[in-house]
């Protein structure tokens, strides 16, 4: 059995961060989202993993994930020239996948409980496809599965106006090689893409067996800023306390990780929270659900429910930062006291709120 992780796409919903970085490498709890998928593959005993990459961000993903050995897998990189749909990505990977059954995992998804149960079920039951589903309160925003009388998938509908069920497709699928012929048989959707839902529906229409697998733990698609912050919160909720950095007249409360080389002076960190290697924090407050990356400098500032990426500095702020995602090498600080004015250099598609 092989694995396929999709890490192409343009990441438009996470701009401006994704103007300069692949969306799958934006960290949640100080770990790139992509790495959670690779760890899930390794834990499920899948040794050979292909990663679909885009020309624009492929080199960065190669540098970050390497040969896969640290995740217990062997990685082959597969370039997809254009993001023409998930079924197109499957066809692009066909030479790598060959006749092997495989698990397909969207690289910007997070599953709390991994995919071990999914893989075990697929190996035991041997359907032609197995798709992850989860109940959602707003199924009209997702691909939705309708089950037949035998409890198998009978129909898939993309973003239905009147959903017949609340079972949304999670971005994890398992397939036998029959999916290749199904993907070749479909036409592009109105978006100009080969949709994986259409390919799976073709399997159903041909009388092949498509089974559901209901996810009971949490699942997050990290495609938007609020989703990243929520995923960060969910992962930090499972944090195990570990303090390896230096505390000088500082205290930590609750589940907190202070990585080696970090130094805190006259600072309070209230967990769950994580502070990365080499970060220097002075006269500050770090509140719950905050992830501070490596080599971050924070002085005379307060943060809560936020993500700060590596190399950034935050200094001398009058009010608390909350529910924020701050990119790499960002500088935030107070300007001259007078004259009072706002001065911004803001990237495309940014959201700036003055409260």
């Amino acid at each position: 059995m092989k694995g396929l992780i999709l890490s192409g796409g343009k990441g438009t919903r996470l701009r401006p961060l994704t103007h300069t970085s692949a969306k799958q490498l934006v960290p949640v709890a100080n770990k790139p989202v992509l790495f959670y998928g690779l760890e899930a593959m390794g834990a499920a005993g899948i040794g050979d993993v292909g990663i679909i990459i885009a020309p624009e961000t492929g080199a960065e993903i190669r540098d970050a994930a390497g040969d896969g050995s640290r995740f217990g897998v062997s990685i082959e990189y597969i370039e997809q020239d254009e993001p023409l749909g998930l079924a197109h990505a499957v066809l692009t990977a066909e030479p790598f996948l060959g006749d092997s059954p495989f698990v397909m995992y969207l690289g910007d998804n997070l599953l709390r409980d991994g995919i071990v149960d999914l893989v075990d079920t697929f190996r035991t039951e041997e359907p032609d496809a197995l798709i992850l589903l989860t109940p959602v309160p707003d199924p009209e925003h997702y691909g939705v599965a309708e089950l037949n009388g035998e409890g198998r998938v009978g129909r898939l509908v993309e973003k239905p106006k009147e959903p017949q069920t609340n079972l949304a497709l999670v971005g994890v699928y398992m397939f036998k090689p029959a999916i290749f012929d199904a993907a070749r048989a479909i036409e592009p959707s109105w978006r100009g893409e080969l949709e994986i839902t259409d390919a799976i529906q073709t399997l159903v229409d041909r009388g092949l067996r498509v089974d559901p697998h209901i996810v009971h733990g949490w699942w997050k698609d990290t495609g938007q800023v609020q989703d990243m912050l929520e995923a960060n919160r969910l992962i930090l909720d499972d944090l195990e306390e570990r303090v390896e950095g230096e505390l000088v007249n500082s205290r930590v409360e609750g589940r907190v990780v202070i990585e080696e080389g970090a130094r805190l002076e006259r600072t309070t960190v209230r967990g769950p929270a994580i502070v990365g290697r080499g970060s220097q924090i002075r006269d500050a407050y770090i509140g719950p659900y905050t992830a501070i990356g490596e080599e971050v400098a924070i002085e005379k500032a307060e943060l809560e429910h936020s993500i700060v990426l590596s190399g950034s500095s935050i200094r001398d702020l009058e009010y608390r930062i909350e529910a924020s995602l701050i990119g790499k090498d960002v500088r935030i600080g107070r300007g001259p006291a007078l004259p009072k004015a706002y001065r911004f250099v803001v990237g495309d598609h940014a959201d700036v709120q003055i409260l």
Side-chain angles (χ1 to χ4, degrees), residues 132-136 138-139 141-145 165-170 219:
L132 260 69
L133 304 173
T134 190
V136 296
D138 51 350
H141 296 137
Y142 299 90
V144 172
T165 77
N166 67 342
L167 296 175
L169 276 74
V170 175
W219 156 76

Side-chain angles (χ1 to χ4, degrees), residues 5-11 14 18 21-28 31-37 51-54 57-58 60-61 64 105-110 222 228:
I5 297 181
L6 275 55
S7 291
K10 298 183 182 300
L14 273 177
T18 49
S21 180
K23 64 178 180 177
Q24 297 84 7
L25 295 182
V26 177
V28 171
K31 184 191 299 182
V33 173
L34 173 63
F35 289 9
Y36 291 97
I51 299 184
I52 295 284
I53 55 176
T57 57
E60 184 184 17
I61 289 175
Y105 193 114
L106 303 192
D108 55 359
N109 276 224
L110 287 173
T222 60
M228 295 288 297

Side-chain angles (χ1 to χ4, degrees), residues 310-328:
S310 61
S312 292
S313 70
I314 301 170
R315 290 186 168 91
D316 301 318
L317 298 185
E318 184 177 357
Y319 301 111
R320 179 175 299 176
I321 292 175
E322 62 181 28
S324 298
L325 176 54
I326 297 168
K328 295 179 181 178

Side-chain angles (χ1 to χ4, degrees), residues 55-77:
E56 299 86 354
T57 57
E60 184 184 17
I61 289 175
R62 285 176 190 266
D63 289 344
D67 64 1
S69 56
R70 63 176 147 156
F71 308 104
V73 303
S74 175
I75 294 176
E76 180 170 322
Y77 295 93

Side-chain angles (χ1 to χ4, degrees), residues 24-323:
Q24 297 84 7
L25 295 182
V26 177
V28 171
N30 283 9
K31 184 191 299 182
V33 173
L34 173 63
F35 289 9
Y36 291 97
L38 287 167
E39 290 172 352
M41 293 281 185
I46 298 172
D48 294 321
V49 177
I51 299 184
I52 295 284
I53 55 176
E56 299 86 354
T57 57
E60 184 184 17
I61 289 175
R62 285 176 190 266
D63 289 344
D67 64 1
S69 56
R70 63 176 147 156
F71 308 104
V73 303
S74 175
I75 294 176
E76 180 170 322
Y77 295 93
I78 305 161
E79 188 168 296
Q80 183 185 26
D81 292 337
E82 292 287 338
L84 298 178
L86 302 187
H88 179 268
V90 167
L91 292 175
T92 302
E94 186 176 6
F96 164 75
L97 296 168
D99 294 330
S100 296
F102 65 96
V103 55
M104 183 171 82
Y105 193 114
L106 303 192
D108 55 359
N109 276 224
L110 287 173
L111 280 169
R112 183 184 190 275
D113 297 326
I115 59 172
V116 172
D117 287 347
L118 169 72
V119 172
D120 288 346
T121 300
F122 188 75
R123 285 173 169 153
T124 302
E125 301 293 333
E126 296 188 338
D128 296 290
L130 184 65
I131 61 176
L132 260 69
L133 304 173
T134 190
V136 296
D138 51 350
E140 65 275 8
H141 296 137
Y142 299 90
V144 172
E146 299 174 9
L147 306 185
N148 61 25
E150 299 176 341
R152 292 175 179 159
V153 177
R155 183 167 175 251
L156 296 175
V157 185
E158 188 67 31
K159 297 181 180 178
K161 292 183 179 179
E162 297 182 0
Q164 300 302 301
T165 77
N166 67 342
L167 296 175
L169 276 74
V170 175
V172 182
Y173 316 80
M174 296 208 67
F175 296 115
K176 287 184 176 178
I179 193 64
F180 298 125
D181 285 340
R184 278 189 283 269
I186 62 177
E187 297 293 331
S189 67
W190 63 270
R191 298 192 298 178
E193 298 184 0
L194 295 178
E195 308 286 356
I196 197 65
T197 49
D198 291 341
I200 297 171
Q201 186 65 53
T202 299
L203 294 177
V204 174
D205 294 342
R206 290 177 174 179
L208 298 178
R209 178 179 163 189
V210 178
D211 285 357
H213 186 92
I214 308 299
V215 175
H216 295 291
W218 58 258
W219 156 76
K220 288 302 295 182
D221 171 358
T222 60
Q224 301 186 59
V225 170
Q226 59 267 34
D227 298 321
M228 295 288 297
L229 294 173
E230 175 66 7
N232 190 64
R233 184 187 71 79
L234 291 167
I235 290 176
L236 289 178
D237 266 334
D238 292 330
L239 199 65
E240 294 184 6
E241 183 178 352
R242 175 167 50 87
V243 177
E244 298 175 348
E246 185 179 1
L247 304 183
V248 179
N249 297 324
S250 299
R251 72 175 189 269
V252 297
E253 302 172 358
R255 299 186 310 280
V256 173
V257 170
I258 309 294
E259 298 281 5
E260 183 179 359
R263 179 181 170 89
L264 278 60
E265 299 180 29
R266 299 175 299 279
T267 290
T268 295
V269 181
R270 185 168 296 148
I274 184 170
V275 177
R277 293 176 180 270
S279 289
Q280 306 292 310
I281 304 179
R282 300 182 181 90
D283 302 304
Y285 166 74
I286 307 299
Y289 303 114
T290 299
I292 307 298
E294 297 184 354
E295 304 293 338
V296 170
I298 299 175
E299 187 172 355
K300 297 180 181 177
E302 298 183 0
L303 292 89
E304 192 167 274
H305 190 214
S306 295
I307 298 173
V308 183
L309 275 57
S310 61
S312 292
S313 70
I314 301 170
R315 290 186 168 91
D316 301 318
L317 298 185
E318 184 177 357
Y319 301 111
R320 179 175 299 176
I321 292 175
E322 62 181 28

